[in-house]
Amino acid sequence: VQLEESGGGLVQAGGSLRLSCTASGGIASINAMAWYRQAPGKQRELVARIFSDGSTSYADSVKGRFTTSINNADKTGYLQMSSLRPEDTGMYYCNMEITRWLRLPDTYWGQGTQVTVSS
């Protein structure tokens, strides 16, 4: 299984970006997806999570500004980020729990995509 991320970039404060994470490789189902970010010198933190029943959860710092979703037909997850702030700057990673055909579920990581928000 491979997860390919895209959508990062440089944006001014108040702007928006949409990150994508596409899974490939014998996938039967995506059970859950999470987005993490890591700023320089800081620990990786959980930003958003979505489960197969559609339920979501968000870090307090992004509630009301970020929205996560999954398109299971395309095996792609999204993180829509609005009203971006300089403190949202960091490397963003997607994480998926995936069930492969005839296999038990396992967790996979994307390669990361950089988000930089200028003030």
Side-chain angles (χ1 to χ4, degrees):
V1 174
Q2 288 188 325
L3 303 187
E4 183 172 348
E5 296 187 48
S6 62
L10 173 64
V11 64
Q12 288 188 330
S16 299
L17 284 173
R18 188 177 77 158
L19 306 183
S20 300
C21 178
T22 301
S24 61
I27 298 166
S29 64
I30 299 173
N31 306 319
M33 180 186 69
W35 290 92
Y36 290 78
R37 68 184 178 193
Q38 187 166 19
K42 294 188 177 181
Q43 289 189 332
R44 190 174 296 190
E45 64 171 340
L46 177 63
V47 174
R49 185 183 292 175
I50 184 168
F51 299 93
S52 57
D53 64 358
S55 60
T56 57
S57 64
Y58 298 91
D60 288 343
S61 59
V62 306
K63 279 181 182 176
R65 301 188 297 122
F66 290 12
T67 302
T68 188
S69 60
I70 291 181
N71 182 329
N72 270 291
D74 293 340
K75 303 293 188 289
T76 299
Y78 301 95
L79 182 67
Q80 177 67 49
M81 307 184 293
S82 303
S83 302
L84 283 162
R85 305 168 181 169
E87 54 264 40
D88 294 319
T89 294
M91 186 70 78
Y92 283 69
Y93 299 91
C94 66
N95 171 284
M96 288 187 179
E97 183 190 283
I98 289 171
T99 301
R100 299 175 65 190
W101 297 108
L102 304 179
R103 300 276 186 98
L104 293 174
D106 207 343
T107 300
Y108 302 88
W109 288 90
Q111 81 281 9
T113 186
Q114 177 68 35
V115 171
T116 303
V117 184
S118 63
S119 57

